[in-house]
Amino acid sequence: MTWQWKTIIEPFKIKSVEPLGFTVRDERLKVLEQASYNLFKIPASKVLIDLLTDSGTSAMSAEQWAGIMRGDESYAGARSFFVFEKAVQDVTGYKEVIPTHQGRAAERILFSIVGGKGKCIIANSHFDTTRANAEATGAQALDLPIKEALDFEKPGLFKGDMDVLALERNLKEKGQSVSMVIMTVTNNSLGGQPVSMKNMKEVSNICKKYKIPFFIDAARFAENAYFIKLYEKGFENKTPKEIAKEMFSHADGCLMSAKKDALVNIGGFLAMNNTEWAKRAREIEILGEGFPTYGGLAGRDLEAIAQGLKEVLDEEYLNYRLKSVAYLGEGLRKHGVPIVEPPGGHAVYVNAKKFLPSIPVEKLPAQALACALYLEGGIRASEIGSLMFGKHDEKGKFIPASMELVRLAIPRRVYTQSHIDFVIEVFGEVAKKKDLIQGLRILEAPEYLGHFTAKLAPVS
Ligand SMILES: *Cc1c(COP(=O)(O)O)cnc(C)c1O
């Protein structure tokens, strides 16, 4: 069915509700001060609309909750494992299915097999944990996005694509030291932009030519499949499931954080056709995650993932999902808020450097905007800028990040269109008062992943 109406309706009704965290401005100012202007330190009960992440924040369906009750908690060979295994095989087409407690555990296991000193792993863009796990083995993690991906203002359809010329050049130069090529769908690190089937096929062919294994980081595979249906020629009449299957058919395996497109709050997996690798993966799995038929999860979690993988490919759901994110982007544009174009599948990214030109990057404009959003309307977003990626050189001088973005990630099936309208309205207010927004300075921050725990204060 194609939805011809302007109003985006949620393709579900609500059976269970939880209250939002209403606060008043004075209270929010105190909360911000107590949290040292770090939004990770704010109790969720003091947040009205939480757009910090789309990871593990999905609302589960009645069928998923029914699966929770059906979960078989046998230590080995639980019935729920076979339900899960079949669901993953059904979507991906891969034979070997290995559950993990979340995506990064799948990364750690995979890179224990293909990583190591002297190896190189190439991706359209590695997600932070993917990069960290690859580098932790001593391997190099190389990003080869297309150049358009880095031009935030330029619209484009498949800005998640990999630069195939650069890929081939690197494979020629580096030869067999490249141990794996990974395609992240959608490309989370660069705006949640989709990858085209054409690009997937080209990358697959190049990998075959050079005999390099090709994997998919499938966290948002369903959103990617629906972008292909909407915008790539020849896919209009295919179902998202057929498109997803075709995507997976071009690769040798995948890793997935089920906390995204499997519509659950915890879980992940590794899937592949290589039985030799799967055997080694299961040996590593037992050391850190648990027996291979549960992999750090409860039987009930496996049931919820199996059901989520089916529901996420529903066309009404995907249409609503992409439309509601695009709707937020449209609303922000109307208030003159510069966003990364086009809106991604799971989030809208605001270009804070452009929105707050009077705050220099040393004074963290993206974090300042994120704090202003909380103060104005109790909205929590995440900074992707110099607080997250800024570094210090040997002399201790601060080197800011190349981008100052505020990511508004939309949890799946959690907020309604009126919540999104509210977010747009708050942005309108923030835009009016933007000259009053103060920059921030870092009081203290640990060396690694400092954005989670840093303490900050306003500067005038
Ligand atoms: C979230 C994510 C991961 C890591 O998964 P976790 O479940 O958070 O451990 C890996 N890759 C991508 C693209 C992700 O979005």
Side-chain angles (χ1 to χ4, degrees), residues 76-89 293 302:
R79 188 182 39 71
S80 298
F81 170 74
F82 297 104
V83 172
F84 164 80
E85 184 185 44
K86 186 167 177 308
V88 175
Q89 288 169 337
T293 60
L302 297 170

Side-chain angles (χ1 to χ4, degrees), residues 232-349:
E232 193 165 347
K233 235 181 128 217
F235 293 93
E236 308 78 3
N237 298 318
K238 294 204 166 143
T239 64
K241 186 171 174 186
E242 288 166 338
I243 297 171
K245 201 128 191 199
E246 189 174 332
M247 283 163 48
F248 287 116
S249 76
H250 291 305
D252 302 302
C254 73
L255 59 97
M256 172 146 179
S257 166
K259 298 171 74 171
K260 303 3 181 303
D261 268 353
L263 300 171
V264 292
N265 308 115
I266 195 72
F269 59 84
L270 198 53
M272 64 188 88
N273 285 327
N274 185 327
T275 46
E276 184 49 37
W277 279 12
K279 193 170 148 241
R280 282 165 65 194
R282 290 188 180 106
E283 286 163 14
I284 302 165
E285 162 120 310
I286 290 176
L287 280 177
E289 291 286 288
F291 193 71
T293 60
Y294 72 83
L297 295 168
R300 52 178 167 274
D301 299 322
L302 297 170
E303 293 273 350
I305 296 172
Q307 179 62 25
L309 286 173
K310 288 181 201 140
E311 292 176 10
V312 80
L313 287 162
D314 175 68
E315 212 165 320
E316 307 300 344
Y317 163 75
L318 285 169
N319 182 47
Y320 139 81
R321 172 77 178 156
L322 297 196
K323 287 246 172 83
S324 60
V325 175
Y327 176 82
L328 172 58
E330 187 55 43
L332 298 189
R333 275 188 214 113
K334 278 185 189 149
H335 287 302
V337 178
I339 62 167
V340 174
E341 296 288 357
H346 67 291
V348 174
Y349 296 67

